[in-house]
Amino acid sequence: DAGVTQSPTHLIKTRGQQVTLRCSPKSGHDTVSWYQQALGQGPQFIFQYYEEEERQRGNFPDRFSGHQFPNYSSELNVNALLLGDSALYLCASSLASGGPGAISYEQYFGPGTRLTVT
Amino acid sequence: AQSVTQPDIHITVSEGASLELRCNYSYGATPYLFWYVQSPGQGLQLLLKYFSGDTLVQGIKGFEAEFKRSQSSFNLRKPSVHWSDAAEYFCALFSGGYNKLIFGAGTRLAVHP
């Protein structure tokens, strides 16, 4: 049973550039959440996707956007990169049993993508 | 406000010694609480979770945690630490209103031989 996978593992970008990170959820899961973990800090919630729509969003600017595909995989896009965007980006998948209003308690995390902005 | 506090940034223990990592939370309703472990350069692995019922929950790798509503705490314990337990540990609270996890800042555990 494949767990959550993310690509790429590492990425180096220059300020002002754009980046796309990818996530495939655990088999059977339909909800994907993205978190940003800056060095020495706990993960911070960016947003969550369910049924190809953004369901919840944390306190992140519009430069951060996402997408979910019919196969439940997801992308995180960050435009106009800043030095402060350097972080480990974690994808978590869960199962929202019970429909759109359901709660997705148990979240399984991928290994993350380390983004460095120079 | 919903929040998680891990008072200890860094803890060092000797191999074979017991361990307790502290976690305090602030939440207006019954909390759903988690402990995750993160090895260097890795993602987060779920150690254990508390949803309801028995306040002492067992997890993987010999870890357990006790939920104490009166103290708003969910401390993680292990009776005998192994060198392989050296990692960063995160306590997290599930925010039902936002369908997201709220993490503490983490506690880095070092294990001396």
Side-chain angles (χ1 to χ4, degrees):
Chain A
D1 178 22
V4 180
T5 60
Q6 293 186 244
S7 63
T9 305
H10 295 89
L11 205 52
I12 299 175
K13 290 287 189 178
T14 303
R15 275 182 302 174
Q17 287 187 317
Q18 178 264 344
V19 68
T20 297
L21 311 181
R22 296 176 176 82
C23 171
S24 291
K26 180 179 169 64
S27 178
H29 284 183
D30 57 8
T31 302
V32 173
S33 303
W34 287 91
Y35 291 80
Q36 180 196 64
Q37 185 180 15
L39 198 62
Q41 298 181 23
Q44 299 290 318
F45 177 75
I46 302 175
F47 43 52
Q48 182 180 87
Y49 277 83
Y50 172 73
E51 290 192 339
E52 302 180 47
E53 291 189 359
E54 184 181 290
R55 183 161 72 163
Q56 294 288 351
R57 188 177 184 91
N59 189 25
F60 280 80
D62 292 344
R63 298 186 298 107
F64 289 77
S65 63
H67 189 77
Q68 186 179 34
F69 300 93
N71 66 353
Y72 307 119
S73 67
S74 176
E75 289 182 348
L76 164 65
N77 301 292
V78 186
N79 295 321
L81 284 166
L82 304 174
L83 294 179
D85 294 331
S86 295
L88 180 68
Y89 288 85
L90 295 165
C91 168
S93 76
S94 52
L95 177 62
S97 57
I103 303 297
S104 306
Y105 299 120
E106 291 195 47
Q107 300 189 9
Y108 292 81
F109 285 82
T113 294
R114 172 73 62 187
L115 172 64
T116 301
V117 182
T118 62
Chain B
Q2 302 171 3
S3 65
V4 175
T5 302
Q6 294 180 247
D8 306 305
I9 297 173
H10 191 201
I11 284 183
T12 300
V13 300
S14 298
E15 190 168 18
S18 63
L19 171 70
E20 182 169 30
L21 302 182
R22 296 183 291 164
C23 171
N24 294 100
Y25 68 88
S26 174
Y27 193 64
T30 299
Y32 295 151
L33 296 162
F34 304 81
W35 274 99
Y36 286 87
V37 61
Q38 184 176 41
S39 298
Q42 302 297 312
L44 300 172
Q45 181 182 21
L46 179 65
L47 284 176
L48 48 78
K49 59 185 182 284
Y50 171 78
F51 286 174
S52 65
D54 194 347
T55 57
L56 185 64
V57 294
Q58 302 297 320
I60 62 172
K61 303 185 179 186
F63 286 93
E64 66 178 25
E66 186 171 14
F67 171 67
K68 293 185 177 181
R69 184 186 300 275
S70 62
Q71 299 178 19
S72 298
S73 69
F74 187 56
N75 294 348
L76 181 71
R77 301 195 294 247
K78 187 170 185 178
S80 177
V81 171
H82 188 262
W83 64 266
S84 61
D85 293 324
E88 186 135 26
Y89 291 80
F90 292 94
C91 181
L93 166 71
F94 187 82
S95 173
Y98 296 94
N99 220 8
K100 68 177 183 181
L101 290 169
I102 299 171
F103 286 87
T107 297
R108 181 166 297 277
L109 173 66
V111 180
H112 280 179

